[in-house]
Amino acid sequence: MKFTTITRWEFKETLKSKKFLIIFCLQLSMLFLMIFVFNAFAANIQSDNGVSLTPSLSGFASLDIDDQGHLFTKYINPSLINIQSSNYNTALQNLNNGEITGFVQVPADSLNSIKNIDTINVKLYLDYSDPKRSVISDEVNSTTNILATSISNSWIDSLIPQNTTQIVVNQQSTGQSLQIQLLTNAMLAILLFLPLFFFGNLIIDSVVGEKEKKTGEILMAMPISPSQIILGKILAVEAIIALQIVLWMIILITMGFKFANPILIYILVTITALPIIGVTTIISAYSKNYKEAGIGITLSYIAVVGVLIIPALTYLSVKPLAANISPMTMVMRILSGETIPFWQYFIPIAFILLVSIITYWISIKLFERDDIFFGPRPGLIRLFLELISFKKIKKIR
Amino acid sequence: MKILTLAKKESQDILNNKIYILVIFVQLFLVLGAFGLAIISSIATDPALLDTYGITSHLNVGISENLNGSELSQDLKAQNFNIIYYNNTDKALKLLGSGLVAVVGISPEGEITVQTDNSNVFYPVVSQKINNAVNEFELTKKLEAAGLNQSEIHTIQNPVTLTEIKVNGNKTAPIALDSSYFVEIMYGFIVPFVLLLPFFMASNIVTDSVVGERERKTFEVLLMTPLSSSTVMIGKILPILFFSILQSMAWILLLDLLKVPIYNPIILFFILSFVGLGFIGVGIIISMLVDSTKEANSAITLALVFATFILFVPLFIKAPFFEGILNFIPTVLIVKLASTPIINSQLVLSSIPTILLSAGIFSLAVRYFRHERAIRL
């Protein structure tokens, strides 16, 4: 009996399960939701007001403005702030009642001041007992700067003769902005890697399920080694993940997302599943029941997500070579159309293979032990010492 | 009394479960991590804060030796950049993105060229500061060319003055960073996320509790006891709800200690209690529909992912058509309540749909529970 037989069994059983198919379809529907959010987020951060990664809450803070010349009101951005026209007495009363966070008073003769080339003195009354004061202060300051530039330019146009020689300044920027990189490359890479974290339950069911359903004994009695059992189970899950990633990528491409070199991206994402399945198998092999395995996997996946995302985000800012150990960094670089030296592809692949070999070796060692499979389960420290061969391993066979 | 006995047993189950205690520490790590990230990203995007913490002086701007002592170099120094003069433009451009954040040069025709590295982590601030310096330089040159005197130049350069007047200065709200970005990210996302985290966990605990009873075959025994369905339900959910509210309270205290004051805690707890009932209700409904812990885990994960979308996506999208509805979403309510020292009655009334919906989900859960009891007995 070969491990491929186990793979075939597991794969068929999984695809036959109606509940699995429902969950599989729900995961795909989640992708549609994410694409909707992705597009909404993209529209938001690439809006006319520039790139912003902060929440877009409307009416987050309130501001009263006394601006009879409608000079200030014309330039203020109301996306975060509720703005209402007011007068000094009402606004101060509102301010003291905590109904607003700030009040801007523009002098009534501001239009005359512009005509006479006089400075306009704008007053901002700011409620310091409100933590949102900096939101108001920031918005009023930037509006003041926009207004000042506009007035300066109009004065210059009227004062300076057209034939005056002017300094020419040519401003250029190189590279893609960090926020745009985050949006277009990092978020798309995260979407691609997401399915890898959906199938932890399949592995739990496949490994812990044997303990809970008491079918482990029958499996052990079969003419097949524990390493072949583990390999068979793992390959079945890998095949299902590979199938989900294909569907995931087809949906993304159909929805208008563009991938440079989709086959290479597919291979990188799919092989990244191997060490993740390995980590999940270790936890499943050690866990007594579904609940314990579920919590263990949730915690370990937080660490795995960190290992994938942190180097990728680091690469966006400082581009260290070491960041390439994360396959997500490599996928992000491919998505950005960067020219990547051929040898650099081996960095994430080597890391994936190394972690896969270690995790499978540990999984097989755990699976071979009768005390872990049938109890009483040894503690983690004792197990660690035994795994690095300070003590003898209790094998089933 | 019977409720108390059942509640006591459930409380002991929660407190004896090492995994739940571990999850509390994970939440603590998340709260502190989110706060730290908000601080770092706020400093990185705020020119004034970068100056305050002396980071701008570590940002190198390369300037052609020909511009040494020029007004432009003075303007750039005034922006607190570290100025490095160069003789070879090609070498300077090669360092752009590694050693230099911008390169400023002058062509033989007298044209000023400014090249900035867009991919730098501080790019928004660098770009803003370089723009300020260049605009200042251009304006001064224009005005000097027009033959204006210093007083006229000063007026044209400063057409608007802004005077800030402190109101309630004696009651200043303590805030870890007086930065717009920090306040928006903390109150606009992290506070609702942190306050709702324990309730996400609550739906998991309730599923564990109910499905666990069924798997251990103690559910039927519980249903056969002379306790009404509502007594069993209250006994089971009361400690879970209390446990979640207690965690939310702890995170509020922690945020207060970190100088992110949370206002209106009593109203917040009132709304959070109902949101918690809704989460627990979803957990109970799922528990009634599934056969095992494994199925419950899958279903609750998916339910919580959908809940996350409904609760947190509205914070990040602009949808003017749905503005009216968005104001009733619990996370939006939490943002407004937590960040506003004095609230108006309209805001409190906006919580009614959340209360009704949560109560509705919970009533549905009670009905399902009664139905399950009738079937099993």
Side-chain angles (χ1 to χ4, degrees):
Chain A
M1 192 177 178
K2 283 183 179 173
F3 67 88
T4 45
T5 315
I6 302 233
T7 305
R8 230 178 16 251
W9 283 353
E10 295 276 344
F11 191 73
K12 269 188 191 169
E13 284 304 309
T14 309
L15 291 184
K16 263 193 227 165
S17 159
K18 277 183 189 165
K19 278 177 185 165
F20 168 77
L21 290 177
I22 292 170
I23 290 171
F24 197 79
C25 294
L26 279 171
Q27 284 166 356
L28 288 177
S29 68
M30 236 173 69
L31 177 65
F32 283 106
L33 268 176
M34 280 178 188
I35 292 171
F36 163 73
V37 174
F38 189 96
N39 289 335
F41 195 54
N44 183 21
I45 78 166
Q46 286 179 306
S47 63
D48 296 340
N49 307 317
V51 177
S52 158
L53 291 176
T54 49
S56 59
L57 281 169
S58 59
F60 182 53
S62 301
L63 177 73
D64 275 8
I65 299 184
D66 178 8
D67 179 19
Q68 288 169 22
H70 297 288
L71 200 62
F72 204 84
T73 329
K74 200 163 65 178
Y75 294 102
I76 200 155
N77 172 18
S79 68
L80 266 182
I81 300 172
N82 259 346
I83 297 162
Q84 57 178 18
S85 289
S86 188
N87 58 51
Y88 179 80
N89 292 330
T90 316
L92 275 199
Q93 199 183 344
N94 288 344
L95 206 55
N96 286 318
N97 292 343
E99 286 172 28
I100 54 171
T101 310
F103 163 55
V104 170
Q105 191 183 29
V106 183
D109 61 346
S110 56
L111 293 176
N112 284 332
S113 299
I114 295 175
K115 277 180 199 161
N116 301 331
I117 312 192
D118 278 342
T119 304
I120 302 166
N121 298 309
V122 175
K123 285 180 184 164
L124 166 65
Y125 294 82
L126 204 55
D127 182 3
Y128 266 66
S129 67
D130 192 325
K132 300 187 294 290
R133 59 183 181 258
S134 55
V135 176
I136 295 287
S137 167
D138 198 47
E139 192 55 51
V140 170
N141 268 302
S142 39
T143 307
T144 306
N145 288 338
I146 297 168
L147 177 65
T149 310
S150 166
I151 295 171
S152 283
N153 287 338
S154 70
W155 284 349
I156 290 163
D157 289 344
S158 64
L159 285 172
I160 299 174
Q162 291 297 312
N163 57 1
T164 308
T165 316
Q166 291 182 6
I167 287 276
V168 180
V169 178
N170 178 14
Q171 287 199 64
Q172 293 170 353
S173 51
T174 55
Q176 205 176 25
S177 93
L178 187 66
Q179 287 91 337
I180 299 295
Q181 284 187 64
L182 274 172
L183 175 77
T184 53
N185 305 330
M187 279 179 68
L188 191 52
I190 291 168
L191 268 188
L192 284 168
F193 280 86
L194 211 57
L196 308 187
F197 299 93
F198 287 161
F199 296 95
N201 274 335
L202 275 186
I203 305 161
I204 297 176
D205 194 30
S206 184
V207 180
V208 185
E210 303 282 2
K211 295 182 194 175
E212 290 224 337
K213 287 181 276 187
K214 310 288 178 203
T215 50
E217 289 91 334
I218 303 163
L219 197 65
M220 291 302 166
M222 285 185 166
I224 186 167
S225 68
S227 57
Q228 297 251 348
I229 295 171
I230 287 283
L231 200 61
K233 284 176 178 290
I234 280 167
L235 283 181
V237 180
E238 176 69 26
I240 286 163
I241 293 179
L243 182 69
Q244 176 76 306
I245 297 168
V246 168
L247 293 174
W248 211 246
M249 282 182 77
I250 290 171
I251 291 172
L252 285 168
I253 291 168
T254 317
M255 300 291 281
F257 288 87
K258 287 191 173 55
F259 296 106
N261 211 336
I263 294 170
L264 186 60
I265 290 176
Y266 176 73
I267 293 169
L268 271 170
V269 177
T270 311
I271 62 165
T272 308
L274 289 170
I276 298 175
I277 297 172
V279 171
T280 317
T281 313
I282 292 177
I283 293 163
S284 304
Y286 184 73
S287 302
K288 273 188 212 163
N289 50 41
Y290 287 124
K291 190 177 149 192
E292 203 179 277
I295 302 277
I297 283 165
T298 307
L299 295 176
S300 63
Y301 277 9
I302 292 172
V304 174
V305 167
V307 171
L308 282 175
I309 290 184
I310 292 169
L313 295 182
T314 311
Y315 188 82
L316 288 178
S317 51
V318 278
K319 298 188 173 40
L321 189 64
N324 288 299
I325 61 159
S326 162
M328 192 182 273
T329 309
M330 197 49 78
V331 167
M332 218 174 60
R333 290 178 71 188
I334 299 170
L335 287 172
S336 67
E338 196 182 320
T339 315
I340 305 164
F342 187 66
W343 64 270
Q344 289 192 7
Y345 287 109
F346 290 101
I347 302 173
I349 293 171
F351 181 67
I352 288 168
L353 290 178
L354 181 74
V355 180
S356 303
I357 291 166
I358 295 171
T359 50
Y360 292 142
W361 177 77
I362 298 173
S363 308
I364 292 164
K365 290 282 169 201
L366 291 176
F367 208 72
E368 279 175 344
R369 297 176 61 111
D370 53 0
D371 53 352
I372 284 188
F373 214 90
F374 304 109
R377 190 175 61 170
L380 281 172
I381 297 171
R382 196 185 128 200
L383 203 60
F384 175 73
L385 293 173
E386 285 184 11
L387 276 175
I388 55 169
S389 296
F390 284 114
K391 287 183 184 178
K392 238 184 173 179
I393 292 170
K394 287 181 186 176
K395 282 192 179 180
I396 291 172
R397 279 171 282 182
Chain B
M1 195 62 196
K2 288 169 188 168
I3 290 178
L4 282 179
T5 313
L6 190 57
K8 200 176 158 190
K9 177 240 162 204
E10 285 294 325
S11 307
Q12 278 171 348
D13 282 353
I14 293 171
L15 294 174
N16 289 335
N17 195 323
K18 284 179 192 162
I19 290 161
Y20 295 149
I21 307 301
L22 182 69
V23 173
I24 294 175
F25 283 102
V26 172
Q27 286 182 63
L28 177 68
F29 174 74
L30 281 174
V31 177
L32 293 174
F35 174 80
L37 270 177
I39 292 265
I40 292 167
S41 51
S42 304
I43 293 173
T45 51
D46 191 314
L49 289 174
L50 276 185
D51 286 349
T52 310
Y53 290 97
I55 297 166
T56 323
S57 57
H58 290 96
L59 297 173
N60 301 326
V61 173
I63 299 187
S64 166
E65 188 61 53
N66 298 334
L67 287 167
N68 194 348
S70 68
E71 282 172 52
L72 181 58
S73 73
Q74 296 303 319
D75 289 335
L76 285 166
K77 271 183 194 164
Q79 296 293 331
N80 295 322
F81 284 123
N82 182 33
I83 305 294
I84 296 171
Y85 294 99
Y86 64 85
N87 288 316
N88 187 322
T89 311
D90 289 338
K91 272 189 184 172
L93 286 175
K94 271 184 188 164
L95 286 172
L96 187 63
S98 51
L100 301 172
V101 293
V103 173
V104 181
I106 185 161
S107 70
E109 294 80 32
E111 187 190 24
I112 304 280
T113 55
V114 181
Q115 296 206 41
T116 39
D117 172 29
N118 224 340
S119 58
N120 187 280
V121 70
F122 300 114
Y123 172 72
V125 174
V126 171
S127 162
Q128 193 182 336
K129 280 177 168 281
I130 286 188
N131 271 334
N132 289 345
V134 168
N135 290 342
E136 185 91 12
F137 172 69
E138 276 185 299
L139 190 60
T140 313
K141 284 288 173 195
K142 263 186 197 174
L143 298 174
E144 278 174 2
L148 299 176
N149 63 37
Q150 281 305 311
S151 157
E152 286 168 325
I153 289 176
H154 180 79
T155 309
I156 291 174
Q157 281 182 326
N158 303 287
V160 184
T161 59
L162 180 69
T163 315
E164 191 184 291
I165 298 151
K166 271 187 188 181
V167 178
N168 294 324
N170 54 340
K171 290 188 265 177
T172 300
I175 190 93
L177 264 186
D178 215 353
S179 137
S180 171
Y181 183 94
F182 179 75
V183 170
E184 283 171 38
I185 202 85
M186 279 309 293
Y187 286 103
F189 173 60
I190 294 170
V191 167
F193 172 71
V194 161
L195 295 189
L196 285 173
L197 260 181
F199 297 95
F200 277 69
M201 191 179 149
S203 51
N204 255 318
I205 299 178
V206 79
T207 321
D208 270 358
S209 172
V210 178
V211 182
E213 296 258 18
R214 278 163 56 172
E215 281 189 336
R216 290 190 302 269
K217 311 289 177 202
T218 52
F219 194 55
E220 281 78 2
V221 180
L222 183 71
L223 295 181
M224 276 190 283
T225 53
L227 295 171
S228 67
S229 295
S230 48
T231 311
V232 174
M233 286 280 282
I234 293 169
K236 272 208 172 287
I237 65 143
L238 212 60
I240 299 171
L241 193 62
F242 180 71
F243 184 59
S244 307
I245 290 176
L246 211 64
Q247 283 176 78
S248 275
M249 276 170 83
W251 305 146
I252 285 183
L253 285 174
L254 180 65
L255 286 168
D256 273 329
L257 282 174
L258 294 170
K259 288 192 177 172
V260 181
I262 306 294
Y263 297 94
N264 310 299
I266 294 168
I267 303 171
L268 271 174
F269 285 132
F270 180 72
I271 293 170
L272 282 172
S273 306
F274 276 93
V275 174
L277 269 187
F279 272 101
I280 290 171
V282 169
I284 292 170
I285 293 170
I286 287 173
S287 307
M288 296 299 121
L289 295 173
V290 298
D291 297 325
S292 63
T293 308
K294 185 195 78 179
E295 281 178 24
N297 280 344
S298 301
I300 204 81
T301 306
L302 274 170
L304 292 182
V305 168
F306 282 103
T308 308
F309 270 102
I310 295 163
L311 291 170
F312 290 98
V313 168
L315 298 177
F316 285 93
I317 58 165
K318 274 190 182 120
F321 296 118
F322 299 111
E323 201 106 300
I325 300 169
L326 294 184
N327 286 332
F328 298 118
I329 289 177
T331 39
V332 176
L333 280 170
I334 293 172
V335 170
K336 291 187 176 170
L337 285 166
S339 62
T340 314
I342 303 167
I343 51 154
N344 57 33
S345 52
Q346 202 189 338
L347 190 57
V348 181
L349 289 175
S350 301
S351 63
I352 291 175
T354 299
I355 292 169
L356 290 178
L357 184 69
S358 301
I361 293 172
F362 189 69
S363 312
L364 196 69
V366 176
R367 279 193 65 175
Y368 260 104
F369 189 81
R370 285 199 181 121
H371 178 71
E372 181 78 9
R373 182 176 194 161
I375 290 172
R376 285 184 179 260
L377 299 181

